Amino acid sequence: MKKIKNFLFACLAVLPACGGNEVPVVKNDLRAPAYPLVTIDPYTSAWSFSDNLYDDNVKHWTGKDYPLLGVIRVDGRLYRFMGVEKPVIEPVAAISYEVPWTGKYSFDEPAKGWERIDFNDSKWKSGEAAFGTSEETNVKTLWKTKDIWVRRDIKVDSYDPAQKLFLKYSHDDTFELYVNGVRVVKTGYVWRKDVLVELTDEVKATIKDGRIVVAAHCSNRTGGALVDFGIYVEAGIPKYFENAAVQKSVNVQATQTHYVFECGNVELKLSFLAPLLLDNLNLVSRPVNYITYSIASLDGNEHQTEIYFEAAPNWALHEPSQKSRGEGFEKENMLFVRTGNVEQNVLNKKGDDVRIDWGYFYLGVEKDSASSYVAGDIAAIRGQFSGNGSLSGDVTAKDNACIAVAQSLGKTKSASGKALIGYDDVYSITYFGTNLRPYWNKDGSKTIESAFAEANKEFAVLNGKCSKFDYDLITKATKVGGKEYAELCVLAYRQAIAAHKLVEAPNGDLLFLSKENFSNGSIGTVDITYPSAPLFLLYSPELTKGLLNHIFYYSESGKWKKPFPAHDVGTYPRANGQTYGGDMPVEEAGNMLTVTAAIAKVEGNAKYAEKHWDVLTVWTDYLVEKGLDPENQLCTDDFAGHFAHNVNLSVKAIMGVASYGYLADKLGKKDIAKKYTDKAKEMALEWMKMADDGDHYRLTFDQQGTWSQKYNLIWDKLLKLNIFPKTVIQKEIPYYLTKQNVYGLPLDNRKNYTKADWIVWTATLADDTETFGKFIAPLYKFMNETVDRVPMSDWYNTDNKRHVGFQARSVVGGYYIKLLEEKLR
């Protein structure tokens, strides 16, 4: 404990909040794979993917640009502290979702030289792009073979060699592409969309008489397939903000990300605040975040200072090529600028790699003589601020307008201020045929402007509450699990919450619906709820119920008729019924029962379970019959494929049966409690015999010499069910420590990849913090060193610095299981 206290003392800093109040902050030393900035829901979720905030554009969690530019003007000199002035490109021959195009293609391997400009492709077929399988968007020509070759002949009417040319392409899977016979792209087994690369002088030198031939070959190993590409030219827009500030530090806390910059003779402190305090459902739902700042003179002199924030229409578009409209207006004693898609097709799009393209994105500042705003041409706006430090002009609606706000801080040694940033999605979710508004405006009686005004009024109080919460969380997590564990927890906080949307069902149920980010886009997935539940069990049992209510309703309404829970209720944002291709019978039944029991443990009663007793009974009886030795089926680790006799899945079934016995006891159903508790213990004893492999337990009952993480055992410990003898964990933990790689414990013996959430659960099985730390240290090392700069992935390789897939998922809420153990203790 003395070491922990010394660590906290050494890392304690004081950061001034907006308004000058001093707030203690414990320094987080983790170099995050990505830094959370604006975290509202799965659609309005913006991150910095780089070490310095000014090294690249702010991005949506999917990796697409959400340009947000920040510039400070000190005594007339400009310092860019956020975002970049990326080239504005215009299409020469656009990619197909922007402008349809037709090319030549062949499914048969062509003759040598197929990539050259003079190749004769007259015998190839003609087809409209994109080329691919039906599950991909905008596919016009179906491609079902392993390989495809595509050629596109482009004529450029007027081309200045001094202009920069760009290639934009999408592919799935292995891909190579040539421009006029020069290879520009060659990939391994990956799939990417809308990659933009500048063409080299070597390529540009091959352009004669304005002719460009793009030739590509793609090989599809499995699943979806896609080929699409286009050529673009840089528009002649001047750069005003090339001079960058110097970033001195970045510090991630649970609800805030703090930056410090040196801007000539002024220090700028910038914070992004998302007031996600889980005991206040209105705050969780209200779609407004804060950008706060303070300046201080570094040389003791006064300096004339202005600050500028600019946003692109991308924030309200699935693709930046969609037509938008921006405008400014005054309301609620605030200045607003907003942008939105011209075509307001509400809840029209569903899927995984999808961004919202209905509703409106907003920036807001207090209305006073120091604030200004504008919507219009990007070059004109930047030139205006660059020249005089303020904005003016027509704010009526304009097509494809950039939006910006500016604030003058005057000539001073110190000052502070804030801007508000948010999104009005109008309707958030389709729930079994009914469009639901967001929880903050569930009855449609509020406006987004009133929500901004409310947030502005409450800022000082919320800033204090959030700073106290941040401090309490990191200090508590450090005491419970150590410094590295605490820093992982605070990075996970906003990621886990913002991967959900909060709404109210027509029957009054609270619905806290997850999106499976980059794992298939399902909504309300049970085996996403299960790993994320510890965070919400710790801070909000009501939100935890919101993770389950839709699944209970789906079965109890008769819409789902199987004797086990559904996997999901649709594809985000349409919750009209399961869309996942396969069931997970034992997995989801065990998950629902265990999380329901955990709610009872936290609340001290089983009233919630009592409401759903009939369906819980059906699911339990299914586990009694089918759970001990599971048939060939998927579990939550579905990326590993179907397999039978899954030992860890059997543990989940046993925990489900035991959870039902626990709930029955809470409800005074003593006979039922004894029956199912005894059954769970009987199953556990049989499990031990079937799974035993000497110094550990197996991956599957029928395969000797195998092993896997038995993370599902954690509920026996946390709920004090006492189903398995302690010797089971005591045998497993030392064995796991012999199997660790440089970046952690693999999921099982089949591959070197792992799941970050399950590592923390496995670590929590240990009874001492030293052993716990041995599992956490390699996980922390991966997050600190990974070369994949994306919001935390939970599926990564333990033998190298690359993640396998998944990012920005809510399952990192599972990191909080160690803190939950402490609470339940």
Side-chain angles (χ1 to χ4, degrees), residues 163-291:
Q163 286 182 295
K164 292 182 178 180
L165 280 181
F166 296 87
L167 167 76
K168 183 190 286 190
Y169 65 93
S170 300
H171 70 97
D172 186 354
D173 299 314
T174 309
F175 189 64
E176 58 179 329
L177 182 145
Y178 300 79
V179 177
N180 287 352
V182 179
R183 191 169 74 190
V184 176
V185 180
K186 184 174 178 61
T187 76
Y189 176 53
V190 293
W191 45 97
R192 295 179 293 185
K193 290 185 178 179
D194 299 325
V195 181
L196 189 70
V197 294
E198 183 179 348
L199 297 181
T200 64
D201 289 341
E202 178 190 6
V203 175
K204 289 161 62 177
T206 67
I207 302 173
K208 308 297 183 185
D209 300 322
R211 189 182 179 205
I212 302 174
V213 175
V214 184
H217 167 223
C218 195
S219 182
N220 182 37
R221 184 184 298 184
T222 185
L226 179 67
V227 171
D228 198 2
F229 47 79
I231 297 292
Y232 295 75
V233 65
E234 183 178 16
I237 296 178
K239 291 186 177 181
Y240 292 95
F241 307 137
E242 292 190 275
N243 183 49
V246 178
Q247 184 174 306
K248 308 301 289 186
S249 67
V250 57
N251 184 11
V252 177
Q253 297 297 310
T255 66
Q256 300 175 80
T257 302
H258 303 291
Y259 287 92
V260 178
F261 303 94
E262 187 176 299
C263 310
N265 289 319
V266 166
E267 180 184 72
L268 169 67
K269 293 184 176 179
L270 185 80
S271 295
F272 296 85
L273 169 61
L276 295 171
L277 302 176
L278 298 184
D279 60 350
N280 186 327
L281 297 184
N282 185 59
L283 279 181
V284 173
S285 176
R286 190 169 68 195
V288 183
N289 281 191
Y290 304 91
I291 305 175

Side-chain angles (χ1 to χ4, degrees), residues 611-801:
K611 287 174 55 180
H612 305 291
W613 194 249
D614 289 347
V615 73
L616 288 170
T617 303
V618 171
W619 296 341
T620 304
D621 288 341
Y622 178 86
L623 291 179
V624 169
E625 180 183 355
K626 300 284 190 178
L628 177 59
D629 190 3
E631 299 167 346
N632 189 37
Q633 62 187 268
L634 291 171
C635 69
T636 185
D637 305 316
D638 53 355
F639 50 83
H642 290 73
F643 63 103
H645 318 299
N646 184 335
V647 171
N648 188 47
L649 185 59
S650 177
V651 173
K652 181 166 288 185
I654 297 168
M655 289 296 96
V657 175
S659 293
Y660 183 79
Y662 171 83
L663 291 167
D665 184 68
K666 284 275 188 185
L667 291 170
K669 303 175 185 290
K670 299 301 182 182
D671 290 345
I672 294 175
K674 184 177 187 310
K675 174 185 174 182
Y676 284 93
T677 301
D678 288 349
K679 183 61 181 179
K681 290 180 177 179
E682 174 190 318
M683 294 169 74
L685 290 174
E686 189 64 22
W687 180 95
M688 292 173 64
K689 296 175 186 176
M690 295 164 61
D692 188 64
D693 208 48
D695 58 353
H696 68 281
Y697 294 95
R698 301 173 184 174
L699 167 68
T700 64
F701 291 123
D702 60 333
Q703 296 183 55
Q704 293 183 358
T706 61
W707 66 272
S708 65
Q709 292 188 46
K710 310 301 188 302
Y711 52 83
N712 288 317
L713 284 168
I714 191 61
W715 297 106
D716 199 29
K717 182 181 183 184
L718 266 60
L719 301 180
K720 298 180 174 60
L721 300 173
N722 299 316
I723 302 300
F724 286 86
K726 291 184 178 180
T727 54
V728 172
I729 294 175
Q730 290 168 354
K731 184 157 73 169
E732 284 285 280
I733 291 294
Y735 185 81
Y736 295 154
L737 291 173
T738 70
K739 296 298 179 181
Q740 291 213 105
N741 290 324
V742 62
Y743 293 116
L745 179 66
L747 184 65
D748 55 52
N749 61 270
R750 292 172 294 173
K751 301 279 186 179
N752 279 321
Y753 60 55
T754 194
K755 289 284 272 81
D757 43 345
W758 300 148
I759 283 182
V760 182
W761 288 34
T762 294
T764 305
L765 290 171
D767 285 329
D768 62 282
T769 54
E770 182 181 355
T771 304
F772 174 82
K774 290 179 180 178
F775 290 104
I776 299 302
L779 167 60
Y780 181 94
K781 182 178 175 67
F782 176 82
M783 297 303 174
N784 198 54
E785 297 179 2
T786 177
V787 295
D788 294 329
R789 305 306 297 271
V790 298
M792 271 196 298
S793 171
D794 53 289
W795 182 23
Y796 72 89
N797 294 300
T798 61
D799 58 345
N800 63 60
K801 298 179 181 181

Side-chain angles (χ1 to χ4, degrees), residues 74-139:
V74 180
D75 297 328
R77 182 165 172 76
L78 299 163
Y79 299 88
R80 175 175 43 84
F81 57 83
M82 176 167 60
V84 293
E85 290 182 284
K86 278 195 173 179
V88 176
I89 61 171
E90 297 173 342
V92 172
I95 203 164
S96 72
Y97 62 75
E98 296 179 15
V99 179
W101 64 271
T102 298
K104 293 294 192 75
Y105 70 97
S106 174
F107 296 135
D108 300 317
E109 184 172 359
K112 187 177 180 181
W114 61 271
E115 76 282 4
R116 295 191 337 225
I117 193 170
D118 58 353
F119 179 78
N120 182 0
D121 59 14
S122 60
K123 293 184 180 180
W124 287 25
K125 297 177 182 178
S126 293
E128 189 176 351
F131 304 83
T133 50
S134 58
E135 60 262 48
E136 292 288 353
T137 56
N138 206 52
V139 165

Side-chain angles (χ1 to χ4, degrees), residues 190-484:
V190 293
W191 45 97
R192 295 179 293 185
K193 290 185 178 179
D194 299 325
V195 181
L196 189 70
V197 294
E198 183 179 348
L199 297 181
T200 64
D201 289 341
E202 178 190 6
V203 175
K204 289 161 62 177
T206 67
I207 302 173
K208 308 297 183 185
D209 300 322
R211 189 182 179 205
I212 302 174
V213 175
V214 184
H217 167 223
C218 195
S219 182
N220 182 37
R221 184 184 298 184
T222 185
L226 179 67
V227 171
D228 198 2
F229 47 79
I231 297 292
Y232 295 75
V233 65
E234 183 178 16
I237 296 178
K239 291 186 177 181
Y240 292 95
F241 307 137
E242 292 190 275
N243 183 49
V246 178
Q247 184 174 306
K248 308 301 289 186
S249 67
V250 57
N251 184 11
V252 177
Q253 297 297 310
T255 66
Q256 300 175 80
T257 302
H258 303 291
Y259 287 92
V260 178
F261 303 94
E262 187 176 299
C263 310
N265 289 319
V266 166
E267 180 184 72
L268 169 67
K269 293 184 176 179
L270 185 80
S271 295
F272 296 85
L273 169 61
L276 295 171
L277 302 176
L278 298 184
D279 60 350
N280 186 327
L281 297 184
N282 185 59
L283 279 181
V284 173
S285 176
R286 190 169 68 195
V288 183
N289 281 191
Y290 304 91
I291 305 175
T292 70
Y293 59 86
S294 65
I295 63 162
S297 173
L298 293 173
D299 61 3
N301 297 320
E302 293 182 338
H303 296 280
Q304 179 65 39
T305 308
E306 299 89 19
I307 196 164
Y308 169 90
F309 297 100
E310 169 200 302
N314 305 43
W315 284 77
L317 303 173
H318 171 61
E319 295 291 351
S321 58
Q322 292 175 289
K323 188 175 181 180
S324 65
R325 187 163 292 142
E327 62 183 331
F329 58 93
E330 300 178 14
K331 199 171 183 179
E332 301 280 357
N333 204 36
M334 295 186 70
L335 304 180
F336 291 100
V337 282
R338 75 172 191 174
T339 183
N341 194 347
V342 169
E343 297 180 3
Q344 286 288 308
N345 296 317
V346 177
L347 294 166
N348 186 53
K349 279 190 172 65
K350 65 175 183 177
D352 195 352
D353 189 4
V354 172
R355 286 144 301 282
I356 193 168
D357 63 358
W358 71 89
Y360 299 91
F361 169 78
Y362 286 76
L363 289 174
V365 292
E366 291 181 0
K367 181 183 176 182
D368 56 37
S369 60
S371 298
S372 55
Y373 66 132
V374 73
D377 176 73
I378 189 170
I381 292 173
R382 291 175 179 176
Q384 194 177 90
F385 180 78
S386 174
N388 58 36
S390 65
L391 303 171
S392 63
D394 182 14
V395 294
T396 57
K398 303 176 188 68
D399 288 346
N400 304 317
C402 166
I403 59 174
V405 295
Q407 292 177 299
S408 173
L409 305 180
K411 190 170 185 179
T412 183
K413 293 182 181 179
S414 64
S416 60
K418 66 181 182 300
L420 283 69
I421 187 169
Y423 204 98
D424 182 11
D425 60 2
V426 186
Y427 286 93
S428 305
I429 300 291
T430 300
Y431 186 66
F432 294 101
T434 300
N435 288 351
L436 303 180
R437 294 182 182 273
Y439 184 85
W440 69 272
N441 191 28
K442 58 188 176 182
D443 62 359
S445 63
K446 297 181 179 180
T447 67
I448 188 65
E449 294 86 4
S450 67
F452 267 77
E454 183 182 67
N456 188 48
K457 182 180 178 180
E458 295 175 355
F459 169 71
V461 171
L462 289 178
N463 190 40
K465 285 184 176 180
C466 288
S467 296
K468 183 178 186 305
F469 176 83
D470 291 349
Y471 176 79
D472 289 346
L473 172 55
I474 197 168
T475 52
K476 177 70 171 178
T478 301
K479 292 174 183 176
V480 169
K483 173 182 181 292
E484 292 177 341

